[in-house]
Amino acid sequence: MSEFVELNFGPQHPSTHGVLRLKAKLDGEIIRELEPVIGYLHRDAEKLCELTFYADNLILFDRMDYVGSMLMESGYLEAAEKILSIDPPERAQWIRVVMNELSRIAAHLVWAGAFGLDLGMLTPFFYCFAERDKILDIFTEICGTRQETNYMSIGGVYQDITPEIMDHILEFTETFPKRLEEIYKLFVKNDVFISRNKGIGVLDRETAIDYGVTGPMLRASGVNYDVRKAKPYLVYDKVNFEVPVSYKGDNLARFLVRFEELRQSVKIVREAVKKIPDGPHFNPKAKKPMMIRLRGDGEYYARTESAKGEFGVYIVGDGGVKPYRVRVRSPTFKNLSVLPVLAKDQMIADMVAISGTLDLVFGEIDR
Amino acid sequence: MKEQLGESVSAVNGKDGIMVHTVAKERLFEFMKEMKEKGFDSLSLITGVDRKDYLEVVYHLHNFATDEYVEVKTTTDNGVVPSLVSLWSSARWDEREEYDLMGIKFEGHENLKRIFLPENWVGHPLRKDYNLKNIQYINMDKDGEDYATFDPGDGW
């Protein structure tokens, strides 16, 4: 019987993207067995949701995927508004699409920068975060906060979008594509980057579906599934965009799919900002003092496409002002569960590259 | 809209228009096997709902080819339901999570231990009768394993 060396990796380690602990059994430099240990950021948001009003729960969702908080907000509201029978007006839906896509760009830029760091590239990190800061400046203008925005609310959005902000967003969509191609070249023109990612961590279609993997990871494995196309929510059926799919399933494929998504998101933002109709940005049925008195009944499962994959929110209401049960389908939780399969019989250094392409955000995994 | 499917009852009763199949837990595994053969290749979500006198387990199944979602519901009085790990690998972590937070025991799961909380944590937080005033602290032993304690001096 051969003997393995046990290696503890994390929970405080720069390349684990948060507080992930990995227990590996090593045969030389090859990983034979890998066990992720999670829960270091756990605060049981699902329980906290049961204790507060429907309107107040929004801030808990901000803190799930904290790099793309608008996506989390609209994911929760997709379910909560149906439970409370409140429809957001058309203008609010368009504003939400713009904010969702800006948030997706911000989230993917964090991933790209951190992925570079995992592979020992420092430069792209600064490029990515400089661009991300411009989006956060737009968020500051529109709601006063950079990350945990709490901008959307039941019945619409909390503040109306002004023509100046729309100009700033359009200006961003003009300058960003050029910078994006620069960042892209920093990665793909680097031979070391290509050789460390091409053919590494291949995830085949059957395994991906079996483990419940969604989002860019699933699309990189050859499944054309994007909730924005499959079951359009908000006004995603009225904007033009394409869903990138790769059939290789390796690290490089996941990288390329995410970069193509960045380009598509810019396209959506540019189109949606111009199409924002006039009208109210808020449904008066859900105005401020009334908001916490709204009663929800029935069950609803809403799925939305977050930056990481299919973000599902399942709410069970019992006719009260607080939800009876809230369940979150966290895409990164499922994506991480496939890491032991991907990292088996790989080198330690490759495992770091693979976990970099999973796009882990621990606020969402541990909830 | 109700139809009889073996010994299960199928109806749309949520606001989302998703078909809900209600199955007895004794028949759950066979029913799920049939569903998988029908093309539901992904188990998207497992939810436990504490209905105070019994527990309800809700499974969301997804068919990628037709993009169809269905719910399968089952109830249990003693908190034991069969595990579906042999059908879908995604059940492995979801069942561990529901065991950890809701206290549902999945019979046949090869590694049913807590996923978020330390192994000796007292109670299951998502149960309606869980006492939130009973604060537990977490510390780490010499081997690097987490443990829970009621003694605030022992916590971090």
Side-chain angles (χ1 to χ4, degrees):
Chain A
M1 203 184 113
S2 62
E3 285 190 359
F4 295 130
V5 175
E6 271 191 50
L7 177 78
N8 183 60
F9 195 85
Q12 304 297 341
H13 191 281
S15 67
T16 56
H17 296 254
V19 277
L20 166 66
R21 179 178 170 206
L22 296 164
K23 283 197 262 184
K25 283 195 176 143
L26 301 179
D27 181 5
E29 221 181 313
I30 311 283
I31 293 174
R32 294 294 181 208
E33 216 181 296
L34 187 75
E35 191 199 344
V37 181
I38 58 176
Y40 294 94
L41 211 59
H42 180 65
R43 62 256 183 213
D44 215 341
E46 290 173 7
K47 181 75 175 179
L48 294 173
C49 282
E50 291 173 15
L51 306 175
T52 41
F53 301 106
Y54 280 100
D56 292 353
N57 285 338
L58 207 59
I59 59 158
L60 298 168
F61 281 81
D62 271 337
R63 281 148 186 79
M64 281 183 191
D65 183 358
Y66 43 78
V67 295
S69 53
M70 295 276 196
L71 292 158
M72 299 288 114
E73 288 173 20
S74 74
Y76 168 68
L77 290 175
E78 220 27 58
E81 278 171 348
K82 298 293 183 334
I83 288 279
L84 300 170
S85 312
I86 296 232
D87 293 322
E90 178 116 20
R91 183 175 171 87
Q93 295 193 18
W94 281 96
I95 297 174
R96 278 186 195 176
V97 167
V98 173
M99 290 302 143
N100 274 354
E101 294 309 312
L102 283 175
S103 218
R104 192 185 311 276
I105 296 171
H108 277 357
L109 283 174
V110 170
W111 162 78
F115 183 45
L117 282 184
D118 286 349
L119 301 169
M121 304 159 81
L122 193 59
T123 321
F125 183 79
F126 297 112
Y127 278 64
C128 292
F129 272 67
E131 288 309 300
R132 176 179 150 83
D133 235 45
K134 291 177 190 164
I135 298 175
L136 298 186
D137 283 346
I138 293 170
F139 287 172
T140 314
E141 243 180 300
I142 201 157
C143 62
T145 338
R146 284 161 59 83
Q147 281 217 52
E148 278 80 22
T149 46
N150 198 12
Y151 173 58
M152 298 168 191
S153 66
I154 286 166
V157 293
Y158 141 74
Q159 268 177 12
D160 203 1
I161 193 166
T162 60
E164 292 88 70
I165 297 170
M166 275 150 86
D167 285 345
H168 288 164
I169 294 172
L170 280 175
E171 202 184 300
F172 172 76
T173 59
E174 293 304 315
T175 56
F176 179 65
K178 212 174 136 234
R179 299 286 284 175
L180 184 63
E181 296 313 312
E182 268 177 43
I183 298 170
Y184 180 68
K185 274 182 202 150
L186 279 177
F187 284 107
V188 293
K189 296 257 166 149
N190 188 328
D191 282 348
V192 179
F193 175 81
I194 297 293
S195 55
R196 282 203 61 187
N197 286 304
K198 203 171 179 180
I200 305 287
V202 179
L203 175 64
D204 61 82
R205 191 193 146 97
E206 280 68 37
T207 315
I209 290 178
D210 191 28
Y211 275 82
V213 171
T214 47
M217 266 188 89
L218 183 66
R219 291 194 282 278
S221 297
V223 182
N224 186 354
Y225 173 66
D226 187 318
V227 185
R228 292 174 291 171
K229 285 277 188 204
K231 188 173 180 288
Y233 54 100
L234 295 175
V235 286
Y236 274 112
D237 46 346
K238 292 176 192 158
V239 286
N240 271 321
F241 66 99
E242 274 155 40
V243 178
V245 179
S246 167
Y247 293 87
K248 297 274 190 218
D250 59 352
N251 275 0
L252 191 64
R254 294 193 273 275
F255 170 85
L256 293 172
V257 165
R258 287 212 177 87
F259 257 82
E260 191 53 39
E261 278 194 23
L262 280 169
R263 297 188 189 109
Q264 297 296 332
S265 289
V266 179
K267 220 169 101 182
I268 299 174
V269 171
R270 196 183 294 142
E271 189 186 337
V273 167
K274 286 173 189 159
K275 279 191 180 172
I276 294 178
D278 289 331
H281 66 284
F282 199 79
N283 188 336
K285 267 202 277 181
K287 64 178 188 289
K288 281 282 143 54
M290 295 296 294
M291 205 186 260
I292 57 167
R293 283 188 226 156
L294 294 170
R295 284 169 192 280
D297 200 7
E299 296 171 11
Y300 199 91
Y301 177 75
R303 48 183 164 141
T304 52
E305 186 75 21
S306 87
K308 318 287 189 267
E310 181 187 322
F311 182 70
V313 180
Y314 178 58
I315 301 183
V316 179
D318 63 343
V321 290
K322 296 171 184 175
Y324 188 76
R325 173 83 164 99
V326 177
R327 177 80 164 105
V328 178
R329 184 202 192 277
S330 156
T332 11
F333 183 78
K334 302 271 157 99
N335 293 0
L336 175 64
S337 73
V338 84
L339 182 65
V341 182
L342 290 180
K344 199 172 185 310
D345 300 333
Q346 301 275 353
M347 312 273 265
I348 308 174
D350 285 343
M351 188 271 288
V352 173
I354 294 167
S355 78
T357 58
L358 303 186
D359 197 1
L360 304 173
V361 168
F362 269 81
E364 197 194 18
I365 295 174
D366 291 347
R367 274 160 289 149
Chain B
M1 197 170 147
K2 276 198 176 186
E3 57 182 283
Q4 211 71 19
L5 208 134
E7 289 148 48
S8 68
V9 180
S10 309
V12 177
N13 57 8
K15 288 182 175 177
D16 43 13
I18 294 178
M19 178 67 90
V20 182
H21 303 289
T22 313
V23 192
K25 71 170 181 182
E26 289 78 20
R27 257 203 91 237
L28 182 77
F29 190 83
E30 295 158 49
F31 184 80
M32 288 301 209
K33 212 171 171 181
E34 279 169 37
M35 293 303 272
K36 200 187 175 187
E37 280 156 16
K38 273 186 206 161
F40 288 92
D41 42 9
S42 171
L43 174 61
S44 190
L45 188 66
I46 301 177
T47 313
V49 184
D50 185 2
R51 298 285 188 186
K52 284 180 183 135
D53 35 346
Y54 63 94
L55 287 173
E56 190 178 72
V57 191
V58 186
Y59 299 86
H60 282 83
L61 303 179
H62 186 207
N63 183 343
F64 273 102
T66 58
D67 191 48
E68 195 185 348
Y69 249 96
V70 292
E71 271 174 37
V72 178
K73 276 187 189 175
T74 187
T75 55
T76 168
D77 295 325
N78 56 357
V80 182
V81 286
S83 166
L84 300 177
V85 175
S86 52
L87 297 177
W88 293 282
S89 302
S90 63
R92 194 167 287 131
W93 276 29
D94 260 5
E95 288 180 355
R96 276 179 68 187
E97 189 189 336
E98 287 312 293
Y99 164 69
D100 185 354
L101 303 179
M102 191 55 96
I104 300 165
K105 287 188 185 67
F106 292 90
E107 227 167 16
H109 192 294
E110 80 280 357
N111 185 23
L112 193 65
K113 55 179 190 180
R114 287 177 182 264
I115 192 160
F116 290 138
L117 302 172
E119 205 50 48
N120 66 338
W121 189 274
V122 179
H124 301 281
L126 282 175
R127 289 284 185 99
K128 293 286 176 190
D129 56 1
Y130 181 77
N131 185 3
L132 287 167
K133 296 217 168 74
N134 216 347
I135 297 171
Q136 299 181 47
Y137 301 86
I138 299 176
N139 204 344
M140 194 188 271
D141 63 13
K142 277 180 190 155
D143 300 327
E145 301 301 326
D146 299 335
Y147 66 92
T149 167
F150 286 104
D151 175 18
D154 194 17
W156 279 97

